[in-house]
């Protein structure tokens, strides 16, 4: 073990939450703040993220968008049925979200716009704030959140903060009274102790830890699609070892629907989410109103009960033409041209993810379903379309289009996941909470490992972008509190 270093505050993890926490710790009054990141580069899963949820921002006021923090809180709590969510935590984060957009701009010089670059769910006011470089003549070019992370880190270092990359935190140190007193960090093949007045855990989710995934999600298997940097949940283990209470539940942030072996290939995904497609399972049976896919984060829930969690989206050729001529209906589909036929043809060439055939019997053979079952399903559905009433699942009649014109197409799809939420218990100050329901002195947690802000499912329907929104806001809160804690301790 190396001789120890000292810091006022150590922040563990340099993704969505960590850099905000480190800067905010300086704001809160800490002088020596150290950010420890296991990987060679900062950013974590926030490098993939685009926008964050916020309300009552300057951008919304300028666009005459009226989303009040009160209303957003009330709606989200109702959506969650008040289950698993600590209303104080959600309220605090929603209330802070508008100021955090202004704070990010102040710290980085990067502005934000409320983006309509992607079509999200219908019927919701724009709350998705995307970093943008504002160009002359009122134009803007959108940036990735990785640029915000880079700028936050630069500002942090310019104010005297220190960043260790390639440095993995492996354990917390605690004193006799249970207070956290430091962190054991592994770097350059050696372990060293960093003594600290406060520690912020911001190590992200645990989707890279199959044992925890199986423990928390009964449906988990490693075929669930999506791309992300796998996180092992180190902060969860460290928190538990320091006496923090772990909730008995966690939330999987899903995203409808994945349709490719290439993890970042979105070309066929939007086709499986169109509300006018027809979904069948491996038995050739319909299993849901397909327009549930409008809600990006809960739309794959019907798949969880299907054999192999696999669905097949059916198209006739007229629908393919319609998409290519008129664009996607919904949701989160890029507004650029779909080129669906081109993507279908290249997927059908390998035969793994899509097929085109002259008869439904051939499509059934590819799916592995009995031909009669699929033919019956299509005949029933076409009858619903003729009547203008979906007798099975009451899909909105706007989306009822018969499957009549060959060639017929089928696209295989499965659920997709983005991140996990929890199970580290915190309060609204992001103080880590111990087994006895009181704060563990000197320990804070922020971002995806913290619980109490999501129910069974991610509330994307009302708080789209709250994964990153929570990471940044909770990071900011945890940092401010940790900074204040050490500043007060040094005055005492
Ligand atoms: C493809 C994709 C797109 C997304 N798009 C959006 C979006 O547009 N809007 C949105 O709201 N959300 C989005 N998300 C989710 C969002 O990015 C995450 O929820 C957010 O990044 C979580 O922040 P975090 O800091 O908790 O974790 P992360 O950003 O994952 O960061 C955790 C960090 O901790 C580090 N770490 C872990 N263990 C240790 C250790 N022992 N020692 C030191 N460091 C450690 C990791 O290396 C990592 O850098 C997206 C996610 C993905 C995968």
């Amino acid at each position: 073990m190396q001789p120890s270093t000292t810091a006022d505050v150590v922040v563990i993890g340099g993704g969505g939450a960590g850099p905000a926490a480190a800067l905010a710790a300086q704001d809160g009054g800490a002088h020596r703040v150290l950010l420890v990141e296991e990987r060679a580069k900062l950013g974590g899963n926030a490098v993939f993220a685009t926008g964050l949820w916020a309300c009552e921002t300057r951008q919304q006021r300028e666009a005459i968008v009226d989303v009040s923090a009160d209303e957003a809180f009330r709606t989200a709590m109702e959506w969650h049925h008040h289950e698993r969510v600590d209303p104080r935590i959600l309220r605090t984060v929603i209330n802070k979200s508008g100021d955090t957009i202004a704070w990010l701009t102040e710290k980085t010089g990067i502005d934000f716009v409320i983006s309509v670059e992607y079509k999200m769910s219908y019927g919701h006011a724009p709350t998705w704030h995307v970093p943008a470089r504002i160009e002359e003549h009122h134009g803007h070019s959108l940036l990735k959140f990785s640029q915000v992370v880079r700028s936050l880190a630069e500002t942090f270092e310019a104010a005297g903060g220190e960043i260790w990359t390639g440095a993995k935190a492996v354990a917390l140190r605690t004193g006799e009274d249970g207070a956290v007193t430091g962190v054991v960090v592994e770097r350059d093949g050696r372990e060293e102790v960093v003594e600290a007045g406060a520690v912020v855990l911001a190590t992200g989710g645990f989707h890279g830890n199959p044992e925890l995934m199986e423990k928390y999600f009964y449906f988990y298997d490693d075929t669930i699609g999506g791309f992300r940097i796998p996180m092992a949940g180190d902060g969860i283990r460290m928190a538990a070892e320091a006496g923090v209470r772990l909730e008995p539940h966690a939330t999987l942030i899903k995203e409808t629907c994945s349709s490719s072996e290439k993890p970042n290939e979105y070309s066929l995904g939007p086709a499986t989410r169109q509300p006018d497609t027809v979904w069948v399972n491996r038995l050739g049976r319909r299993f849901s109103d397909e327009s549930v896919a409008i809600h990006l984060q809960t739309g794959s829930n019907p798949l969880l009960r299907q054999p192999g969690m696999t669905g097949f989206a059916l198209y006739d050729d007229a629908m393919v033409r319609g998409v290519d001529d008129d664009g996607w209906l919904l949701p989160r589909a890029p507004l650029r041209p779909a080129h669906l036929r081109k993507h279908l043809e290249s997927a059908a060439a390998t035969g793994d993810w899509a097929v085109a055939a002259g008869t439904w019997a051939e499509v059934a053979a590819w799916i592995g379903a009995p031909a009669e079952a699929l033919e019956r399903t299509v005949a029933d559905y076409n009858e619903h379309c003729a009547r203008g009433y979906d007798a099975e699942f009451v899909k909105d009649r706007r989306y009822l289009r018969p499957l009549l014109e060959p060639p017929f197409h089928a696209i295989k799809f499965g659920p997709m996941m983005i991140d996990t939420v929890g199970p580290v218990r915190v309060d609204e100050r992001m103080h880590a909470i111990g087994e006895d329901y009181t704060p563990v002195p000197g320990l804070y947690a922020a971002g995806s490992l913290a619980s109490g802000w999501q129910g069974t499912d991610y509330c994307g329907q009302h708080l789209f972008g709250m994964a990153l929104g929570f990471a940044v806001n909770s990071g900011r809160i945890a940092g401010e509190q940790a900074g204040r804690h050490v500043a007060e301790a040094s005055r005492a």
Side-chain angles (χ1 to χ4, degrees):
M1 189 89 61
Q2 289 282 96
S4 52
T5 318
T6 57
D8 290 338
V9 176
V10 177
V11 176
I12 305 174
L23 253 180
Q26 291 173 327
D27 286 353
H31 297 297
R32 290 161 306 163
V33 183
L34 172 64
L35 176 60
V36 175
E37 166 55 49
E38 175 180 5
R39 294 167 58 85
K41 275 191 176 168
L42 296 182
N45 278 299
V47 295
F48 304 117
T50 315
L52 65 164
W53 188 93
C55 68
E56 299 191 11
T57 61
R58 167 181 60 78
Q59 289 79 350
Q60 287 166 331
R61 277 193 297 279
E62 284 172 2
I64 324 178
V65 169
D66 181 18
V67 185
S68 78
D70 288 357
E71 191 52 30
F73 168 70
R74 205 179 290 124
T75 318
M77 286 308 296
E78 276 168 16
W79 191 87
H80 285 302
H81 301 279
H82 296 257
E83 202 228 343
R84 301 186 182 189
V85 177
D86 178 337
R88 287 191 190 280
I89 295 176
L90 197 58
R91 179 89 169 133
T92 305
V93 168
I94 286 175
N95 284 358
K96 201 169 179 82
S97 65
D99 183 63
T100 291
I101 298 294
W103 180 82
L104 286 172
T105 298
E106 179 199 317
K107 295 293 184 189
T108 64
I110 294 172
D111 208 343
F112 285 76
V113 293
I114 37 178
S115 174
V116 288
E117 170 89 342
Y118 290 93
K119 287 183 186 178
M120 296 299 173
S121 302
Y122 275 160
H124 297 294
T127 45
W128 210 48
H129 290 68
V130 178
R133 191 176 297 114
I134 304 297
E135 315 285 6
E136 273 183 57
H137 311 300
H138 305 295
H140 63 259
S141 43
L142 299 184
L143 303 171
K144 282 300 236 182
F145 200 78
S146 50
Q147 279 160 278
V148 177
V149 172
R150 258 200 306 278
S151 295
L152 286 175
E154 280 164 17
T155 309
F156 169 66
E157 286 185 305
E162 198 175 339
I163 299 176
W164 291 356
T165 49
K168 179 182 167 83
V170 291
L172 298 178
R173 283 279 169 105
T174 48
E176 277 174 14
D177 58 355
V180 169
T181 57
V183 185
V184 181
V185 178
E186 215 175 67
R187 72 173 174 147
D188 302 327
R190 283 184 302 224
E191 282 191 354
E192 63 189 285
V193 175
V194 183
E195 287 166 8
V199 173
V200 178
L201 293 168
T203 57
F206 59 83
H207 33 78
N209 184 327
E211 210 176 299
L212 284 183
M213 292 298 285
E214 275 164 21
K215 176 175 169 188
Y216 285 105
F217 309 118
Y218 70 91
F219 51 81
Y220 172 73
D221 78 36
D222 60 10
T223 63
I224 296 183
F227 62 102
R228 64 217 153 243
I229 300 167
M231 295 294 156
D234 290 352
I236 299 165
R237 176 186 48 77
M238 287 188 268
E241 287 165 1
V244 172
R245 190 172 190 91
L246 300 186
E247 301 287 12
H249 46 72
T251 308
L252 187 65
I253 304 183
K254 306 180 206 103
E255 195 158 303
T256 330
C257 301
S258 162
S259 183
S260 173
E261 267 155 18
K262 288 186 204 156
N264 58 353
E265 178 59 84
Y266 272 98
S267 53
L268 284 180
T272 69
R273 301 194 290 266
Q274 293 306 288
D276 55 354
T277 185
V278 178
W279 285 351
V280 295
N281 61 15
R282 281 194 193 284
L283 307 174
R285 300 199 71 200
R286 251 183 111 204
F287 54 89
S288 173
D289 166 359
E290 294 79 5
S291 71
V292 298
I294 287 169
H295 300 301
L296 196 64
Q297 275 90 17
T298 50
S300 60
N301 280 352
L303 274 181
L304 305 184
R305 298 194 72 244
Q306 307 314 314
M309 288 193 293
T310 303
F312 299 87
L314 308 182
Y315 278 70
D316 78 345
D317 214 56
M319 288 163 66
V320 175
R321 229 177 15 254
V323 170
D324 277 347
D325 289 349
D326 305 329
W328 303 112
L329 279 179
L330 280 172
R332 195 174 194 276
L335 297 179
R336 60 180 181 266
H339 299 305
L340 178 57
R341 187 174 303 282
K342 192 183 94 191
H343 291 306
L344 280 171
E345 279 168 6
S346 70
T350 64
D352 291 335
W353 289 90
V355 75
T359 64
W360 288 113
E362 288 168 83
V363 173
W366 180 76
I367 289 175
E372 323 74 74
L374 187 66
E375 283 164 353
R376 178 80 262 150
T377 295
V378 172
D380 287 350
Y381 187 79
N382 286 347
E383 212 175 297
H384 300 332
C385 297
R387 274 208 240 134
Y389 177 63
D390 172 9
E392 285 169 292
F393 303 119
V394 210
K395 179 158 78 172
D396 190 320
R397 60 187 298 166
R398 276 182 298 170
Y399 304 133
L400 292 175
R401 287 203 209 167
L403 299 164
L404 298 171
E405 187 184 313
F408 302 122
H409 306 264
I411 306 164
K412 185 166 98 173
F413 66 98
M416 176 164 143
M417 66 183 184
I418 293 291
D419 207 348
T420 58
V421 173
V424 171
R425 191 174 177 114
V426 292
D427 64 13
E428 72 275 19
R429 294 170 305 147
M430 304 304 146
H431 225 138
I433 297 299
E435 286 295 350
D436 62 354
Y437 292 92
T438 65
V440 174
L443 187 60
Y444 302 82
S448 295
L449 87 168
S451 272
W453 55 285
Q454 289 296 335
T456 312
D457 268 309
Y458 179 73
C459 183
Q461 202 166 327
H462 299 292
L463 304 179
F464 191 88
M466 191 46 116
L468 184 62
F470 182 81
V472 176
N473 282 287
S474 65
R476 202 180 155 206
I477 295 166
E480 285 165 356
Q481 294 293 332
R484 246 173 247 158
H485 173 75
V486 293
E488 277 163 20
S490 72
R491 279 196 295 272

